[in-house]
DNA sequence: GCTTAATAAATGTCAGACAATTAAAAGTCT
DNA sequence: AGACTTTTAATTGTCTGACATTTATTAAGC
């Protein structure tokens, strides 16, 4: 009855049928799907329609295709790498297209980072610490552009997340952290604010170094409120500009 | 040189080109893409190839299509609803296909839930509390199947996440919580274990009711370790069975 | 002015052809 | 027999052209 529940395309229906089979485990990883011609027969549609369905599934990394004899479409083992990529694309678009407030995204990001701070404090390796310290040094470089500063910030926080040693957590948080980058990029980081951030980053790494979960939590809270202040200033300045213009 | 860097299909290349335009903001929401025929001209390919590219984008909810005169493909505003759906599908598959250990998924899930507990304690409305209490009552019903018990568990935890009042956080966590369900479904909940879980759920809701973030955190910690125990028992039993078989 | 019919633009689907790729099978030479 | 080469068959990738279906606009008729 609603305008959106009209029957979808044949290719969408077929894609959904195969997707269900994969998600419900009726088809297992690396299993070969019937050839396009066979699928066309089975579903009673043309090969073009089947191909469109398969392309939909390929776009979600559910299948991969191989040409040639004994080729075909195979159920794809979804790798963390592929899942990361999709999650980041989706999260970035979700934020940019829905006018998500800076405060909201910032809050979500730091809430999630705090979630992995205790685990990171427990499990961080020397490699994690040195990676984070390398980024902090880079951030102290005066000649760094705002964009590069942001990128380094993301790299540091990514290291924090990875230090928790839980790939599922890393996957889930990658989207939140990376998707924030475009929002962060609109901030102009003054020399003063960079100093402040670098100091807080140092506190954070030192806390992880000494396995002090509480101190790490505090550092992240400080970082959140400071980032929030910076973001608010930018938005306020922008609002003033548009009011006078 | 690696086997994977061979040039992808034309339809994949075209999809990527359009995807870049959308992600980078060169095409804005609700903007109409050229017709399939025009795109075929522009890219110098046939209409079929263009269609396959568009289906890829549609599978990611990046575009929607409308038939008829003045129809065509339009840049789609990615809704939270669509993003949820994709995130859940991806997360579920990632977990089921990569032999993620129960412990890992469980840890990630509760770490993220604890992240929103303080916000939920602050912002929960009476509606959230009553929703959670309704689910707890249902969980105390002896006749409930294991599957329904799990579903109610997910509903309760979903309410907890939503109580944090941050849609971005809700989106990110939906995947983690829902993707756990298949793993949880393998657990047989005895009457004794259900009592225990219901008691912990009550503690959690009471903590939110009194806006006691620390108590909520404690309840979630207890829930995590208890869930972990249940999961480990199941896995141990399964290991015994397969050893004797 | 309102209703209805024609129109045109677009996507959806189909059929058939050929190109490109690739693993297996068959053939050939030493 | 074994190593190398050629052929073959299966399968995906791409193109062309046609027709069906949908739908907003336009025109016609009353």
């Amino acid at each position: 009855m609603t305008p959106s529940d009209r029957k979808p395309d044949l290719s969408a229906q077929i894609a959904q049928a195969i997707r269900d089979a994969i998600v419900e485990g009726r088809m297992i990883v690396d299993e070969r799907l019937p050839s396009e011609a066979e699928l066309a027969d089975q579903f009673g549609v043309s090969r073009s329609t089947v191909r469109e369905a398969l392309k939909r599934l390929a776009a979600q990394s559910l299948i991969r295709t191989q040409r040639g004899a004994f080729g075909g479409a195979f159920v794809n083992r979804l790798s963390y790498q592929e899942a990361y990529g999709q999650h980041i694309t989706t999260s970035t678009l979700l934020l940019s297209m829905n006018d998500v407030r800076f405060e909201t995204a910032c809050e979500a990001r730091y809430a999630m980072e705090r979630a992995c701070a205790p685990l990171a404090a427990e499990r961080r390796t020397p490699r994690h610490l040195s990676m984070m310290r390398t980024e902090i040094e880079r951030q102290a470089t005066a000649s760094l552009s705002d964009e590069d500063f942001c990128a380094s910030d993301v790299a540091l926080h990514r290291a924090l997340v990875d230090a928790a040693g839980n790939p599922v957590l890393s996957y889930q948080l990658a989207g939140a952290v990376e998707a924030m980058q475009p929002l962060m990029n609109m901030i102009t980081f003054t020399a003063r604010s960079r100093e402040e951030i670098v100091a807080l980053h140092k506190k954070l790494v030192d806390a992880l170094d000494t396995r002090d979960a509480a101190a790490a939590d505090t550092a992240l809270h400080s970082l959140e409120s400071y980032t929030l202040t910076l973001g608010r200033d930018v938005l306020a300045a922008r609002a003033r500009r548009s009011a006078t213009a």
Side-chain angles (χ1 to χ4, degrees), chain A:
Chain A
M1 303 303 163
T2 58
S4 65
D5 70 354
R6 284 173 315 229
K7 72 175 172 194
D9 294 349
L10 284 179
S11 70
Q13 293 177 43
I14 292 168
Q16 190 57 49
I18 300 175
R19 181 162 29 238
D20 286 346
I22 296 174
V23 171
E24 290 166 17
R26 296 201 305 279
M27 302 203 69
I28 61 170
V29 167
D30 291 336
E31 186 174 340
R32 183 179 176 283
L33 276 70
S35 72
E36 295 175 353
E38 284 174 300
L39 286 171
D41 267 0
Q42 285 179 25
F43 286 102
V45 300
S46 71
R47 205 186 132 208
S48 341
T49 303
V50 167
R51 279 183 63 78
E52 288 176 7
L54 293 180
K55 294 313 165 201
R56 289 177 189 267
L57 298 174
Q60 295 179 298
S61 302
L62 294 185
I63 62 169
R64 61 176 187 281
T65 51
Q66 225 172 353
R67 296 178 68 168
F70 291 71
F74 298 83
V75 177
N76 188 44
R77 178 185 304 279
L78 191 61
S79 69
Y80 280 97
Q81 197 63 39
E82 288 164 328
Y84 277 154
Q86 294 202 248
H87 191 198
I88 289 169
T89 302
T90 305
S91 299
T92 306
L93 280 171
L94 188 68
L95 261 55
S96 73
M97 284 182 170
N98 288 278
D99 304 313
V100 172
R101 292 176 60 204
F102 182 81
E103 286 92 333
T104 306
C106 197
E107 177 179 279
R109 172 186 168 174
Y110 280 101
M112 295 174 76
E113 289 198 19
R114 280 197 299 273
C116 55
L119 295 171
E122 188 186 327
R123 300 179 190 160
R124 92 291 179 286
T125 65
R127 223 175 69 77
H128 291 124
L129 295 174
S130 84
M131 275 182 62
M132 294 175 81
R133 293 222 157 90
T134 303
E135 295 299 336
I136 292 177
E137 268 181 47
R138 183 199 305 275
Q139 288 161 22
T141 311
S143 60
L144 212 64
S145 72
D146 277 352
E147 206 161 310
D148 288 342
F149 184 81
C150 273
S152 170
D153 183 73
V154 169
L156 182 145
H157 286 271
R158 185 59 202 274
L160 162 68
V161 170
D162 287 340
N166 185 315
V168 176
L169 207 50
S170 291
Y171 154 70
Q172 298 287 352
L173 268 62
V177 176
E178 300 247 354
M180 278 284 293
Q181 197 166 11
L183 284 176
M184 297 291 287
N185 268 331
M186 63 182 201
I187 297 181
T188 311
F189 291 100
T190 63
R192 179 72 196 83
S193 65
R194 290 192 188 189
E195 274 175 38
E196 186 81 22
I197 290 172
V198 164
L200 289 171
H201 282 170
K202 274 185 183 154
K203 266 194 191 171
L204 175 61
V205 179
D206 288 343
L208 295 185
D209 199 343
T210 58
R211 303 193 188 280
D212 185 344
D217 190 80
T218 306
L220 284 170
H221 265 295
S222 308
L223 258 177
E224 178 180 355
S225 57
Y226 189 69
T227 306
L228 214 46
T229 310
L230 287 179
R232 270 202 249 267
D233 287 350
V234 170
L235 292 177
R238 186 166 300 184
R240 269 197 304 279
R241 231 176 302 148
S242 68
T244 55

